[in-house]
Amino acid sequence: GTWGVAVGFSITINPLVLNVVFTTVIISFAIVYVYLNEYFLPRTARLEQTTNARPAGDISESLTDCRVTPQRTVIIRRVVMALFAVAGGILSAQLGSGSDTACFVFTVLVWNSISPRHDAIDLSVATASSVIIMAVHTVETAVLVLVEGGSTPRVYHCLLCAAPVVVLGAPLGSLLLRPSLVKVLQRFFYLLALVQFVSFAYLKVKTN
């Protein structure tokens, strides 16, 4: 991710293109996430219950029950993780956010999809990790901005407006991130992703 931040500061990308790509990725991930949580995973759980109810001696274990992660899977995970990390770093340098989203999307769509069950990452762990990654990249981008001569007063005003949200929202989020509220938080994310996409599209169409 640090390499991505450095690359993001050394290149110039059209902000509109970045925003369109980022917003589209978020809404696309939300659609896949809805499918996983509302259909695929519940259906898989029901099938597993049916499988576990079969008579003893019936061969019903799948490859995902294996306790050893195949070497090929390990290599694929590392390569794709590096790509997601660089992409997230570039987004963070250009937009101010992106590393946290890249981390969570990678965990859900890549790591947990190709890993054996024992090696899957709990989503609460992925969420906490994404917050830490974003915090580290925030410090890195702030240092790079200061090294390059600082920024405009307007940027600092935006920073002061956003700081209370982060300072208050992070502890509050950790309190709400409980197993009993997982479904509620997931559906809240679906709503936020839709609102973000619609509002962004509306504002861009209106300004054009």
Side-chain angles (χ1 to χ4, degrees):
T2 301
W3 287 105
V5 172
V7 170
F9 267 91
S10 63
I11 61 176
T12 302
I13 304 176
N14 188 323
L16 176 59
V17 173
L18 271 178
N19 275 289
V20 169
V21 170
F22 184 69
T23 306
T24 304
V25 168
I26 293 297
I27 192 66
S28 301
F29 170 69
I31 293 171
V32 175
Y33 203 39
V34 169
Y35 170 77
L36 287 174
N37 291 323
E38 305 298 330
Y39 174 75
F40 181 77
L41 293 180
R43 180 173 177 271
T44 303
R46 290 194 298 270
L47 289 175
E48 287 179 351
Q49 290 177 355
T50 303
T51 301
N52 292 335
R54 291 179 181 177
D58 188 13
I59 301 175
S60 58
E61 293 186 355
S62 64
L63 292 176
T64 55
D65 292 322
C66 180
R67 303 301 298 179
V68 178
T69 304
Q71 188 62 27
R72 180 183 177 185
T73 300
V74 173
I75 295 173
I76 292 174
R77 287 189 318 201
R78 289 176 179 175
V79 172
V80 179
M81 183 191 300
L83 295 175
F84 268 78
V86 172
I90 293 174
L91 287 173
S92 295
Q94 294 283 330
L95 300 177
S97 179
S99 296
D100 49 351
T101 304
C103 171
F104 193 81
V105 170
F106 169 77
T107 302
V108 173
L109 298 186
V110 182
W111 185 288
N112 286 354
S113 296
I114 67 175
S115 298
R117 187 174 308 162
H118 74 276
D119 214 10
I121 298 175
D122 187 83
L123 294 186
S124 61
V125 175
T127 303
S129 300
S130 68
V131 173
I132 295 172
I133 290 171
M134 193 64 244
V136 172
H137 286 174
T138 299
V139 173
E140 291 173 350
T141 53
V143 170
L144 288 173
V145 168
L146 293 175
V147 168
E148 292 185 352
S151 190
T152 63
R154 186 175 181 182
V155 172
Y156 292 119
H157 293 160
C158 293
L159 176 64
L160 292 174
C161 291
V165 177
V166 177
V167 172
L168 298 176
L172 180 61
S174 65
L175 294 175
L176 294 176
L177 197 61
R178 294 178 296 181
S180 59
L181 293 177
V182 167
K183 277 293 181 184
V184 176
L185 294 174
Q186 286 174 345
R187 287 165 184 171
F188 185 58
F189 166 73
Y190 308 153
L191 177 62
L192 288 180
L194 181 61
V195 170
Q196 179 189 22
F197 180 78
V198 172
S199 59
F200 177 79
Y202 172 76
L203 290 174
K204 286 304 173 185
V205 170
K206 184 178 179 180
T207 53
N208 294 331

